[in-house]
């Protein structure tokens, strides 16, 4: 496993987990620094040894050149003259080799030693300086905060307000220093991937050039060298793009830190001072506390930020009640009392500020207003996957393929924003949308049309490949071999809603045509992946970890373009129906139920005879009869059976599993197979488990049911209704 990403949002919390992650990054930088230092020392020793070797070989060549064969007699044969001349030829070859060696030695210091020393001094050195500043600010902030919290509430209000302002300024400065330090550490970790390897590659290239017999070796190394050179260039390009994204996120965090908090499994978390009774009186001990509303569990971890270590054992209690302490009832400010079910007495806690106390009170349902979870700030776009949407994309594609398929930098070069918005307003107008089906006026530039296409896709309420499948696509791109990646992505594409899949197919067919003309437009499959990855597969939450996964988004798009015919025109391998699986398990003890990662939205059957068609119709009729017995239920029979539009085989049809209609009362269902949940919204269960209140969910291919009091999602083809 690699190093975990350092999230800017964690700088605000400054949690123990964040400190541990930061320590792992610092240890990696120290390890890299020592290794580079040792490598520079070994490199200098190697250069000295090469100089000595060159001197020795020149002396050897001089000895060969000075030696003269003396033949017996007054004449020499042709063979003897060749043999006599061979030593001088050897000497000439050795001298030429040593001339090249001297050039290599002189170049080695410039291409190997200097860049490594520069990286070590400028980058790692800068990170060390940033660490010193960060540690200094940490100590300063914690000291001032403790001093501030120890102020008596009986002091004048003006003095307290002045103290509050001072703490806020110090806290803001500490937060900014923390963000800058995390940014620098992240930057050095990314830079070493190319700034460290690239000098070594240049030095090796000098060695291969030097050796006279190294041509074959260089040729054997050529494929790897080309691949490594391309990888370094790609890493550099990704670094530039990632660095700008991370820098942009850092600036957003500086401006509005509260709007970019990481989604946490806890209702509330942060540092609190807990009053503890001792033999000599009472003391206030700093704890990192978390609270989960569902379980009402409060966890308190004694932790000192200055020493970076725990001050005792963790403690968890179950919340009974939470009451705000009045200012005149205690000398400390920002206090509140907590009563626990499993611990006698009252636990008095001190928050870091009045706002912090308010948030804790809301989370614990105290006397302050009820806690409201953050609402999704994402506003829905005006673009839709409707007839107008498909018409717009088709018009743009038609214009590009007929007028600008060979234009250099296609889709990479952006158009003027005002022109793009004007074109979109024309295309999205229902009146003009129906006037022409394929033509966009020649007055619009190709870069304006391509930018309009990308902008429309970004205006959709969600990404074309959907938030819920984003992590699954990323996981597929990280599989070890290409065949597994293609297979998994093939399956995921067919789990998308029909309109999303149709739009994606339309787009991938077009991008394949663009890539086929890459010699003219310079847009290879890799370049198109860079352009469309963040648009089609953007994450729901903007974090550093998500930015680091952009390269895998690009790989997914590359796979879709290169394998578009297979992915969109063939049916992926999917599990059998429940009945077929049940039958096969009876026939063979080796049969295994499908894994959760292979859950399909539809099941595919090959219809081979009229008998099977009649059998299927009878199943539909029986379903209609069972539903008609309830006057409040309605079943749309046409949704039970529909042809597969992507298949070339006319006998191949799609049969959706039998499920109750949205108006059918809740029913019980029994699990046919075991399944382990992959997300918090799903249920884990074993074969034979019985669910209550089972009904259709908003997610295609999933049902919603209750198990042991918990409600969650169930794969539709894993259960049968009772």
């Amino acid at each position: 496993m690699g190093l975990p990403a350092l999230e800017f949002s964690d700088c605000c919390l400054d949690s123990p987990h964040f400190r541990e992650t930061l320590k792992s990054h610092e240890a990696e930088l120290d390890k890299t620094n020592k290794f580079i230092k040792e490598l520079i020392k070994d490199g200098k020793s190697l250069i000295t040894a090469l100089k000595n070797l060159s001197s020795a070989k020149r002396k050897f060549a001089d000895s060969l050149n000075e030696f003269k064969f003396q033949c017996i007699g007054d004449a020499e044969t042709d063979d003897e003259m060749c043999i006599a001349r061979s030593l001088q030829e050897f000497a000439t070859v050795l001298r030429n080799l040593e001339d090249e060696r001297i050039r290599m030695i002189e170049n080695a210091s410039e291409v190997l030693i200097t860049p490594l020393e520069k990286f070590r001094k400028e980058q790692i050195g800068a990170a060390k300086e940033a660490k010193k500043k960060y540690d200094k600010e940490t100590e300063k902030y914690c000291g001032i905060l403790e001093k501030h919290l120890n102020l008596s509430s009986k002091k004048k209000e003006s003095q307290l307000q002045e103290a509050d302002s001072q703490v806020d300024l110090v806290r803001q400065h500490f937060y900014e220093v923390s963000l800058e330090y995390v940014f620098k550490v992240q930057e050095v970790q990314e830079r070493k991937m190319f700034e460290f390897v690239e000098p070594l590659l240049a030095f090796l290239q000098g060695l291969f050039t030097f050796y006279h017999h190294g041509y074959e070796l260089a040729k054997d190394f050529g494929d790897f060298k080309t691949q490594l050179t391309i990888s370094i260039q790609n890493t550099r390009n990704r670094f530039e793009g990632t660095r700008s994204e991370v820098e942009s996120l850092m600036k957003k965090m500086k401006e509005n830190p509260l709007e970019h908090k990481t989604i946490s499994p806890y209702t509330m978390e942060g540092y609190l001072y807990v009053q503890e009774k001792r033999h000599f009186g009472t003391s206030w001990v700093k704890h990192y506390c978390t609270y989960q509303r569902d379980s009402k569990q409060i966890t308190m971890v004694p932790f000192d930020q200055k020493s970076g270590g725990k001050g005792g054992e963790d403690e968890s209690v179950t919340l009974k009640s939470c009451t705000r302490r009045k200012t005149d009832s205690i000398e400390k400010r920002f206090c509140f009392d907590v009563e626990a079910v499993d611990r006698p007495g009252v636990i008095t806690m001190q928050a870091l500020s009045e706002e912090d106390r308010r948030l804790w009170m809301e989370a614990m349902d105290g006397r302050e207003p009820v806690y409201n979870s953050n609402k999704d700030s994402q506003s829905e776009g005006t673009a839709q996957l409707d007839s107008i949407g498909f018409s717009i994309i088709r018009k743009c594609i038609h214009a590009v393929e007929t007028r600008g398929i060979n234009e250099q930098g296609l889709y990479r070069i952006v158009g003027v924003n005002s022109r793009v918005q004007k074109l979109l307003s024309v295309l999205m107008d229902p009146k003009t949308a129906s006037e022409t089906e394929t033509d966009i006026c020649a007055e619009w530039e190709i870069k304006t049309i391509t930018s309009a296409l990308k902008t429309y896709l970004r205006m959709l309420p969600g990404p074309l490949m959907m938030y819920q499948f984003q992590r699954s696509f990323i996981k597929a791109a990280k599989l070890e071999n290409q065949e597994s990646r293609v297979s998994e992505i093939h399956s995921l594409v067919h789990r998308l809603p029909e309109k999303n899949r149709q739009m994606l197919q339309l787009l991938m067919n077009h991008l394949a045509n663009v890539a086929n003309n890459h010699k003219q437009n310079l847009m290879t499959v890799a370049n198109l992946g860079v352009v469309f990855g963040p648009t089609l597969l953007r994450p729901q939450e903007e974090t550093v970890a998500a930015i680091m996964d952009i390269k895998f988004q690009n790989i997914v798009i590359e796979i879709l373009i290169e394998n578009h015919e297979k992915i969109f025109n063939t049916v992926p391998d999917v599990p059998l129906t429940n009945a077929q699986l049940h039958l096969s398990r009876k026939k063979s003890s080796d049969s295994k139920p499908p894994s959760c990662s292979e859950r399909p939205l539809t099941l595919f059957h090959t219809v081979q005879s009229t008998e099977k068609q009649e059998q299927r119709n009878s199943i539909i009729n029986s379903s209609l009869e069972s539903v008609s017995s309830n006057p409040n239920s309605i079943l749309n029979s046409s949704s039970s059976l529909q042809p597969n539009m992507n298949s070339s085989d006319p006998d191949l049809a799609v049969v959706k599993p039998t499920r109750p209609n949205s108006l059918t009362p809740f029913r019980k269902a029994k699990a046919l197979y075991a399944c382990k949940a992959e997300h918090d919204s799903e249920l884990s269960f074993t074969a034979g488990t019985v669910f209550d209140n089972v009904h259709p969910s908003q997610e295609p291919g999933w049902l919603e049911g209750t198990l042991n009091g918990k409600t969650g999602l169930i794969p539709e083809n894993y259960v049968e209704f009772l």
Side-chain angles (χ1 to χ4, degrees):
M1 290 291 294
L3 292 171
L6 288 168
E7 298 292 350
F8 288 130
S9 56
D10 290 339
C11 293
C12 182
L13 291 175
D14 197 18
S15 65
H17 174 71
F18 169 73
R19 289 281 178 161
E20 290 298 325
T21 304
L22 191 58
K23 278 186 178 181
S24 65
H25 280 264
E26 291 170 349
E28 177 63 22
L29 286 181
D30 287 338
K31 176 183 173 184
T32 303
N33 184 41
K34 292 178 182 178
F35 178 71
I36 293 177
K37 185 177 180 181
E38 192 68 26
L39 190 65
I40 291 174
K41 180 181 176 182
D42 293 341
K44 292 180 177 179
S45 299
L46 176 60
I47 290 174
T48 302
L50 287 174
K51 289 180 179 178
N52 295 333
L53 176 62
S54 179
S55 177
K57 283 198 171 184
R58 282 188 179 278
K59 185 176 180 181
F60 179 73
D62 293 340
S63 299
L64 289 177
N65 191 54
E66 292 171 0
F67 185 78
K68 305 292 182 182
F69 279 106
Q70 295 296 328
C71 287
I72 301 173
D74 56 357
E76 297 177 346
T77 65
D78 292 340
D79 292 334
E80 290 172 342
M81 288 188 290
C82 180
I83 291 172
R85 192 173 66 251
S86 65
L87 295 183
Q88 285 71 41
E89 292 294 328
F90 294 158
T92 302
V93 170
L94 289 174
R95 285 172 178 169
N96 290 336
L97 284 173
E98 294 316 305
D99 290 341
E100 185 65 23
R101 188 193 297 275
I102 291 299
R103 286 191 287 270
M104 179 198 69
I105 292 173
E106 293 174 349
N107 192 43
S109 178
E110 182 179 351
V111 300
L112 178 64
I113 304 301
T114 303
L116 291 180
E117 288 179 336
K118 182 179 179 182
F119 176 76
R120 180 170 168 266
K121 292 178 181 178
E122 295 183 0
Q123 298 300 325
I124 298 181
K128 288 185 176 180
E129 290 298 321
K131 174 176 169 52
K132 291 179 182 178
K133 184 177 179 181
Y134 176 71
D135 291 339
K136 182 178 179 181
E137 290 299 321
T138 299
E139 185 173 357
K140 178 180 177 182
Y141 168 65
C142 292
I144 291 179
L145 182 62
E146 290 179 359
K147 181 179 177 181
H148 174 66
L149 294 175
N150 286 325
L151 288 176
S152 174
S153 60
K154 297 179 180 179
K155 287 185 175 294
K156 294 182 178 180
E157 184 65 25
S158 60
Q159 293 177 334
L160 293 176
Q161 290 179 355
E162 182 179 355
D164 289 346
S165 300
Q166 183 182 3
V167 169
D168 289 340
L169 288 174
V170 174
R171 182 187 293 112
Q172 179 64 25
H173 184 62
F174 167 71
Y175 181 54
E176 291 178 358
V177 171
S178 176
L179 287 173
E180 291 170 358
Y181 177 50
V182 168
F183 174 74
K184 188 62 182 177
V185 170
Q186 195 90 24
E187 179 184 20
V188 175
Q189 294 285 19
E190 289 296 310
R191 275 185 179 275
K192 73 178 182 181
M193 296 297 291
F194 55 86
E195 289 197 2
F196 176 62
V197 177
E198 196 168 30
L200 296 175
L201 178 62
F203 178 68
L204 282 178
Q205 181 60 34
L207 286 176
F208 292 138
T209 305
F210 155 71
Y211 288 109
H212 177 68
H213 63 279
Y215 174 74
E216 291 296 328
L217 180 62
K219 186 171 65 173
D220 294 340
F221 181 78
D223 291 340
F224 174 72
K225 181 192 70 173
T226 302
Q227 180 183 352
L228 183 58
T229 303
I230 293 173
S231 298
I232 290 176
Q233 187 60 45
N234 289 341
T235 303
R236 185 186 297 276
N237 292 339
R238 288 167 184 160
F239 164 74
E240 294 298 335
T242 303
R243 186 178 185 278
S244 62
E245 293 284 344
V246 174
E247 189 172 12
S248 174
L249 179 57
M250 183 188 72
K251 291 179 180 178
K252 292 179 183 178
M253 292 295 298
K254 284 185 176 181
E255 295 172 359
N256 298 298
L258 296 178
E259 292 184 5
H260 294 81
K261 283 188 176 181
T262 304
I263 296 176
S264 172
Y266 303 107
T267 308
M268 186 64 185
E269 59 181 320
Y271 282 101
L272 293 171
Y273 283 82
V274 180
Q275 187 183 51
E276 295 184 358
K277 295 182 179 181
R278 304 290 173 88
H279 294 293
F280 53 84
T282 60
S283 64
W284 293 85
V285 181
K286 195 174 188 178
H287 288 68
Y288 190 83
C289 302
T290 60
Y291 174 69
Q292 201 162 30
R293 169 172 286 184
D294 293 340
S295 60
K296 292 187 174 295
Q297 286 292 312
I298 305 174
T299 303
M300 299 176 287
V301 181
F303 189 83
D304 184 7
Q305 293 165 280
K306 292 183 287 186
S307 64
K310 287 186 177 181
E313 296 297 325
D314 300 358
E315 182 181 3
S316 293
V317 296
T318 303
L319 176 69
K320 180 179 180 181
S321 65
C322 175
T323 308
R324 178 175 60 85
R325 286 292 293 265
K326 294 183 179 180
T327 305
D328 55 0
S329 67
I330 191 170
E331 290 188 357
K332 297 283 187 179
R333 305 171 67 200
F334 319 134
C335 294
F336 58 94
D337 293 336
V338 170
E339 290 186 85
V341 175
D342 45 2
R343 173 174 164 172
V346 175
I347 306 172
T348 301
M349 296 180 172
Q350 182 184 25
L352 304 184
S353 65
E354 185 62 41
E355 176 66 15
D356 191 38
R357 178 172 68 172
R358 184 184 66 81
L359 293 175
W360 279 103
M361 293 287 295
E362 287 181 356
M364 295 182 181
D365 295 325
R367 296 182 180 178
E368 299 293 334
V370 179
Y371 174 78
N372 293 318
S373 59
N374 293 329
K375 295 182 179 180
D376 187 4
S377 61
Q378 180 181 358
S379 59
E380 294 188 357
T382 57
Q384 298 293 336
L385 292 178
D386 52 12
S387 58
I388 295 178
F390 275 88
S391 175
I392 291 172
I393 298 301
R394 288 193 182 98
K395 290 177 183 179
C396 292
I397 289 175
H398 178 77
V400 171
E401 293 191 347
T402 55
R403 294 199 280 122
I405 194 72
N406 294 326
E407 191 164 312
Q408 290 189 0
L410 195 63
Y411 285 107
R412 183 182 287 275
I413 299 175
V414 298
V416 179
N417 185 57
S418 59
R419 295 277 295 167
V420 173
Q421 295 301 325
K422 185 176 181 181
L423 174 59
L424 278 175
S425 64
V426 172
L427 293 175
M428 295 175 68
D429 186 353
K431 297 179 181 178
T432 59
S434 59
E435 291 179 1
T436 59
E437 188 59 32
T438 57
D439 294 337
I440 294 178
C441 296
E443 67 177 88
W444 299 102
E445 295 178 296
I446 292 299
K447 64 181 182 181
T448 303
I449 297 173
T450 56
S451 296
L453 184 146
K454 292 186 294 181
T455 303
Y456 188 85
L457 292 174
R458 287 193 289 266
M459 289 169 59
L460 292 171
L464 189 60
M465 298 171 73
M466 303 186 70
Y467 290 130
Q468 68 191 79
F469 296 113
Q470 197 263 352
R471 293 305 309 165
S472 299
F473 277 112
I474 296 298
K475 288 180 181 178
K478 293 180 180 179
L479 295 176
E480 293 184 0
N481 60 75
Q482 184 72 2
E483 184 178 352
S484 300
R485 296 172 191 167
V486 175
S487 177
E488 185 65 19
I489 291 174
H490 189 184
S491 176
L492 289 170
V493 167
H494 283 264
R495 292 174 62 185
L496 293 172
E498 185 67 25
K499 288 186 177 180
N500 294 61
R501 187 167 67 249
Q502 289 176 357
M503 179 65 81
L504 189 62
Q505 180 179 6
L506 179 66
L507 188 60
M508 290 305 116
N509 289 340
H510 168 59
L511 294 183
N513 291 336
V514 173
N516 290 337
N517 293 271
H518 69 274
K519 292 183 179 179
Q520 291 78 30
N521 57 40
L522 306 182
M523 293 302 292
T524 61
V525 172
N527 290 338
L528 292 171
V530 171
V531 173
F532 281 91
T535 298
L536 301 180
L537 206 58
R538 67 181 183 272
Q540 191 164 11
E541 182 185 5
E542 186 181 9
T543 64
V544 175
I547 294 173
M548 294 299 107
D549 278 340
I550 287 177
K551 51 184 172 289
F552 296 107
Q553 297 174 8
N554 303 344
I555 291 173
V556 172
I557 303 304
E558 292 175 24
I559 291 174
L560 289 174
I561 295 173
E562 292 175 338
N563 303 273
H564 68 282
E565 292 186 357
K566 174 184 177 182
I567 290 175
F568 293 101
N569 297 329
T570 62
V571 177
D573 296 332
V574 295
L576 299 171
T577 63
N578 294 338
Q580 289 172 326
L581 281 169
H582 187 65
L583 181 61
S584 64
R585 292 180 71 183
K586 288 182 178 180
K587 292 182 178 179
S588 172
S589 60
D590 296 332
S591 299
K592 295 181 179 180
S595 65
C596 285
S597 62
E598 297 171 338
R599 303 169 206 160
L601 293 181
T602 56
L603 303 177
F604 296 86
H605 301 273
T606 303
V607 183
Q608 299 177 349
S609 64
T610 307
E611 181 181 355
K612 289 188 176 182
Q613 180 67 35
E614 294 173 355
Q615 181 182 0
R616 188 165 57 191
N617 290 337
S618 66
I619 294 174
I620 297 173
N621 292 333
S622 63
S623 300
L624 285 169
E625 292 172 2
S626 64
V627 175
S628 62
S629 61
N630 188 340
N632 295 325
S633 65
I634 303 172
L635 182 65
N636 185 359
S637 59
S638 62
S639 63
S640 301
L641 180 64
Q642 69 179 53
N644 180 12
M645 303 303 296
N646 295 329
S647 174
S648 59
D649 187 352
D651 292 333
L652 192 63
V654 181
V655 180
K656 294 187 177 179
T658 303
R659 58 183 286 180
N661 186 267
S662 58
L663 298 180
T664 302
F666 292 359
R667 299 169 59 184
K668 288 182 177 289
K670 179 180 179 182
L672 297 174
Y673 315 106
C675 180
K676 184 178 180 181
E678 296 180 354
H679 302 284
D680 294 339
S681 60
E682 301 173 14
L683 295 177
S684 295
F685 51 86
T686 58
T689 301
V690 177
F691 305 96
D692 297 321
N693 301 327
V694 181
H695 59 281
S697 74
Q698 298 296 325
E699 301 289 343
W702 295 79
L703 300 172
E704 190 171 294
T706 303
L707 177 62
N708 297 330
K710 180 181 179 182
T711 301
L713 297 176
I714 311 165
E716 190 175 44
N717 61 319
Y718 270 52
V719 299
E720 63 179 2
F721 287 96
L722 300 178

